[in-house]
Amino acid sequence: MLTGTADADLLADRLPAPTIAAWGTDAFEMRQVTVLQMIVELRRSAREALLPPGLHPTDPPALSVQAWRVGESAVGPFTFAHTRLSCRSGVRARGLTTAAFVDSPAAAVLLREQFGFPCQPADIRLDAHYDGCDLAVTVDGRAVLVVAGLDPDPLGADDVQYTATLNLAHTPNGLRLVQVESHHDAASVERVSGRIVAFDADAWGDDRLDPYHVVTTTLAHDRSLTVPAVRFVCRADVNAYEGTEPIR
């Protein structure tokens, strides 16, 4: 079985890993949410090397690019983008966050302190059109990600599945992989022909991230997107069978 080889402490320093001071008990509900998800194959140099020993890489390695444009929430409207390295925790499909950006300070605080997303500030635009979609993430005037999608093809509302996210964070349990789930109530979902126009690998976590083949791109319009309170964390240095800890 393939196992990650990255040192968790070094990964935490590079992010840098956020701190969750206390476990929250409330779900975070967002409404009128547009969700773009692109799955891209990676070169093999990013397979084991960017995952800690507690996680297992997929073969072929893949990166999930996901963006949310939120119309309503407790912290107001915002747009959020993050990348996740495809992996498994035990037998369960997961995605380890390599970087995250958000355009709202209030949303950044909530996502960081309640769910462990390593949020950084950016200008983010996610636009949906009748003939496609566009995503641009800009940091200090420099485009670190540009994605374009064309030719939408309708899918069923339940045809897209989103795997749970793992965020490396300092928590009341210690340095842990924080499991973040998302529940989507989709009004419509489309498959689009997506392509990456620009991608700054270092900004998204490591210069070995080399997305070269787009597998699938989808655009969903959700009535609501709910992130429940965290229920489980995992140690990063041992496998999920040994290191999973319930927190409630």
Side-chain angles (χ1 to χ4, degrees):
M1 179 181 294
L2 297 173
T3 301
T5 60
D7 183 289
D9 291 320
L10 294 179
L11 285 178
D13 288 343
R14 179 174 175 81
L15 280 169
T19 297
I20 299 175
W23 296 116
T25 57
D26 297 329
F28 179 39
E29 183 177 355
M30 296 154 275
R31 294 166 295 282
Q32 299 177 15
V33 185
T34 300
V35 179
L36 172 69
Q37 178 170 263
M38 172 181 279
I39 308 298
V40 195
E41 285 191 21
L42 294 172
R43 304 291 180 187
R44 292 182 182 273
S45 60
R47 192 173 64 177
E48 294 97 329
L50 301 184
L51 293 172
L55 299 176
H56 309 289
T58 58
D59 197 14
L63 190 73
S64 167
V65 177
Q66 198 173 116
W68 308 343
R69 188 184 69 202
V70 177
E72 298 178 12
S73 78
V75 292
F78 65 91
T79 308
F80 169 66
H82 64 303
T83 48
R84 306 179 311 138
L85 193 58
S86 176
C87 60
R88 291 189 177 275
S89 177
V91 298
R92 300 184 182 278
R94 297 287 184 260
L96 175 69
T97 299
T98 65
F101 294 92
V102 68
D103 65 0
S104 159
V109 170
L110 188 150
L111 292 168
R112 227 181 0 241
E113 297 183 358
Q114 190 168 338
F115 301 107
F117 284 100
C119 290
Q120 303 175 63
D123 294 321
I124 307 174
R125 290 199 60 178
L126 173 57
D127 297 318
H129 322 285
Y130 76 94
D131 59 346
C133 59
D134 295 284
L135 169 66
V137 181
T138 305
V139 178
D140 296 330
R142 175 174 56 93
V144 298
L145 176 67
V146 178
V147 167
L150 291 171
D151 301 326
D153 186 22
L155 298 174
D158 297 322
D159 284 350
V160 177
Q161 301 296 316
Y162 302 95
T163 58
T165 295
L166 295 173
N167 291 327
L168 188 62
H170 301 285
T171 78
N173 297 51
L175 182 63
R176 292 293 187 268
L177 296 164
V178 179
Q179 180 176 301
V180 179
E181 303 166 44
S182 60
H183 300 160
H184 297 252
D185 178 17
S188 64
V189 180
E190 299 167 319
R191 180 192 294 113
V192 297
S193 177
R195 63 188 179 94
I196 295 178
V197 180
F199 181 83
D200 184 328
D202 193 61
W204 292 100
D206 195 281
D207 58 12
R208 287 169 291 186
L209 293 172
D210 184 12
Y212 72 97
H213 174 65
V214 176
V215 178
T216 183
T217 308
T218 56
L219 186 70
H221 299 278
D222 291 355
R223 288 177 285 260
S224 67
L225 193 170
T226 303
V227 180
V230 175
R231 298 185 300 145
F232 295 98
V233 297
C234 295
R235 287 173 52 187
D237 58 333
V238 296
N239 66 54
Y241 299 106
E242 300 176 64
T244 300
E245 301 166 351
I247 63 168
R248 62 185 78 256

